[in-house]
Amino acid sequence: MKSKKMLLFVLVLLAAIGLSGCGNSTEMKNPMVERSSLAEIQTALGFTFDSLPNNISNLKLYTIADTTAQADFTLSSVGYTARKARLTTTDISGVYDKFAETRTVPNANGIPVLYQYNPGEAGLATWSTTDFTYSLYCPAGFSNTLMQGVVDQIQ
């Protein structure tokens, strides 16, 4: 009987130790902060989008980890996520899809843009200027023609 009490005591003690660790966990802060305007992004990051496409709807703006500007929007019934950050070699897109096709096409300013896509499905465009890195992601309804038109309007 004494060994059963000891076993019960050890089990209760182990459970208490296990549960005590749960209360001390630190909560990770969400790096995305919703912003109300491009001016608010400018204040937070020291830069913003200089231009976005005309006739967009459902615009939502964010900053990510105090380094990246993000604009989510709809154009011609297709959703897009545009990102801009100070020049970096790090992928800022946050997209980890595998794409079947790739090609590089210059934008309206002659800057090479890498397009990765699954025709008619998802697509990602990435490019850099002397000061900034950009990405544009289309999770569904990808069209080369539409995507190139959107890329040409983002600065």
Side-chain angles (χ1 to χ4, degrees):
M1 187 72 159
K2 192 173 186 178
S3 63
K4 286 184 181 182
K5 285 184 181 182
M6 182 58 99
L7 178 61
L8 180 59
F9 173 75
V10 169
L11 290 174
V12 169
L13 181 63
L14 288 174
I17 290 170
L19 291 175
S20 68
C22 294
N24 294 330
S25 65
T26 56
E27 189 173 316
M28 287 186 65
K29 182 181 171 190
N30 184 348
M32 290 186 72
V33 176
E34 189 165 359
R35 303 296 180 169
S36 62
S37 66
L38 292 173
E40 194 175 327
I41 291 176
Q42 175 69 40
T43 299
L45 301 179
F47 67 89
T48 191
F49 290 98
D50 297 328
S51 66
L52 290 169
N54 297 322
N55 302 318
I56 61 176
S57 60
N58 305 316
L59 178 63
K60 291 195 179 214
L61 301 168
Y62 303 89
T63 55
I64 304 170
D66 296 326
T67 62
T68 305
Q70 178 171 311
D72 294 342
F73 57 88
T74 303
L75 180 64
S76 300
S77 301
V78 177
Y80 296 93
T81 295
R83 289 186 174 178
K84 179 180 180 178
R86 294 211 186 275
L87 187 60
T88 179
T89 57
T90 304
D91 179 4
I92 65 166
S93 72
V95 176
Y96 304 103
D97 295 352
K98 298 288 184 202
F99 296 103
E101 310 269 340
T102 61
R103 66 188 190 120
T104 301
V105 178
N107 68 11
N109 296 320
I111 297 168
V113 178
L114 174 64
Y115 292 90
Q116 303 172 74
Y117 56 96
N118 295 321
E121 296 176 17
L124 174 66
T126 53
W127 69 102
S128 295
T129 64
T130 55
D131 297 320
F132 296 100
T133 299
Y134 297 83
S135 72
L136 179 66
Y137 179 58
C138 172
F142 172 82
S143 157
N144 278 314
T145 305
L146 291 176
M147 187 79 133
Q148 287 177 13
V150 175
V151 165
D152 286 345
Q153 297 180 65
I154 295 175
Q155 291 186 2

